[in-house]
Amino acid sequence: MKKFVTAGAVAILLALGASGAARAQSITDALTAAYNHAPDLQSALLAAKASAEDIVRAKSGKLPTIGASVAGSNSWSLVGGQFTTGNQITTGVSYNQTIFDNFQTEAEIEAARAAAELSEYQIRNSEQTVLLAVVQAYMDVLSGRQLVALRQDNINFFQAQSQSSQDRLDVGEGTRIDVAQAQARLAQGQAAYRAAQSSLEVSQATFQRLVGVRPQQLNSSHNFARLIPSSLDAALAEAEVGHPAIMMSKAAIRAAQAGSDAAEAAFGPTASINGQVGSRWTNGGPTDGFSGSLGFQVTVPIYAGGAIGAGVRKANLNQIKSEVDAMSTYDQVREAVISAWAGIQAADAQIQAAQAASQAGNTVLEGTIQERDLGTSTTLDVLNSQAELTTAKESLINAQTQKVIATFSLLSAMGRLTAQDLGLPVEVKSAVNYTQSVEDVWQELRTVAE
């Protein structure tokens, strides 16, 4: 008695043979590898560190500027036939500091700190985008492999039906129409199989780009559904409090308000002090002595060609814009939460329907084959039953895939698709420590721990 192995089992065996002792690659493994690999996350981290330096630049506005200078000159003259030369070297130290600028520097420092905070939330936002893309790529590969195996089984079935139709025709029990119909379905099945293979290759390439390694043995099991709240209202409340995009909007409002304050401060007076001390040597002899000066300056803008007023108006418009953008972001986050929540409910319903259709399709196919053998059904009936069963199984694969993606989409919409919330075994990327380090602005050249 011959033993038959389905194409799905063959595909699994081949995959195991190709990967050798390769271990299973869970969703957690893929997310962890992607977090450590993703260039987008590294770019966001570097941008946040660069933004922190703007705090230092802003704080320098009211700190002293000290400089040293050395100057030399050589002179000559020809008078009355007598040629004379002279050398002179001058050294000095200068000091300049703004002691009052109508609180413009304070406003600029606040704007820089808000911008640095915004950049930190941008890291979290980029993190969510990367991790969600990984989940989508992961499920695309997994479902793609399932579809390839299913369509290979479909080809095997149509090949068997084509041969069976030809055998019946050879003994005078079938028709050429049955053979032609079976061959046509076989050609369609082969085309669908090649399409699934092509799609799988693209999905695997996307997976490798995001994760940094080729996909191995995948499965859709995970324990992150525990992070999903029990109600839509709870999910919305959590998103409104902690979503990175909303926190970015709040930081942008702070920055815009500080920018407006800085622009208005430009109308006020500015006071500064300056001083210098130095010495001079002439013709290489003893020093001519030391000299120094200390002074102050107060300036009040009277007219600047409209530049100051334009700056204030622009800052006020930017402040209003930041508030409008925040409202838009709030609406987008709320929409994303509702959409993902509905996606989970729809996927659950589709899974139940597809499971029922698949079970019924198996029964219908077996009965139709028996009826065909008894002469009460045709080969076309069998082919149609197989096509309906394949459609039901594909629907089940797609629904299960969408359920997983919708679950992670909801976590992303809530702002909880982060390495910290997921408990990934990684060092969380953050520029907070760097920002705290660079606020030591008294040292001009320094090494900051990364």
Side-chain angles (χ1 to χ4, degrees), residues 64-66 93-99 271-278 290-298:
T65 300
I66 303 173
V93 177
S94 62
Y95 178 97
N96 294 279
Q97 183 177 6
T98 299
I99 58 176
S272 62
I273 57 175
N274 57 79
Q276 60 182 9
V277 61
F290 290 92
S291 63
S293 65
L294 180 65
F296 72 93
Q297 181 178 11
V298 177

Side-chain angles (χ1 to χ4, degrees), residues 227-242 330 333-334 337-342 345 410 413-414:
L227 300 175
I228 301 297
S230 57
S231 67
L232 175 59
D233 289 338
L236 288 170
E238 194 165 340
E240 292 169 3
V241 171
Y330 173 87
V333 169
R334 182 179 178 84
V337 171
I338 296 173
S339 177
W341 185 274
Q345 310 308 313
L410 180 57
M414 292 164 51

Side-chain angles (χ1 to χ4, degrees), residues 2-13 152-153 156:
K2 295 182 178 179
K3 295 183 179 179
F4 294 94
V5 180
T6 65
V10 171
I12 294 175
L13 291 173
Q152 179 61 64
D153 287 340
N156 294 342

Side-chain angles (χ1 to χ4, degrees), residues 340-350:
W341 185 274
I344 293 176
Q345 310 308 313
D348 284 333
Q350 291 170 0

Side-chain angles (χ1 to χ4, degrees), residues 151 154 187-197 394:
R151 291 180 181 180
N154 202 35
Q188 293 175 358
Q190 291 171 334
Y193 174 77
R194 287 192 291 270
Q197 278 188 318
E394 289 186 0

Side-chain angles (χ1 to χ4, degrees), residues 263-286:
E264 292 179 356
F267 278 111
T270 300
S272 62
I273 57 175
N274 57 79
Q276 60 182 9
V277 61
S279 61
R280 184 177 60 184
W281 288 266
T282 303
N283 293 327

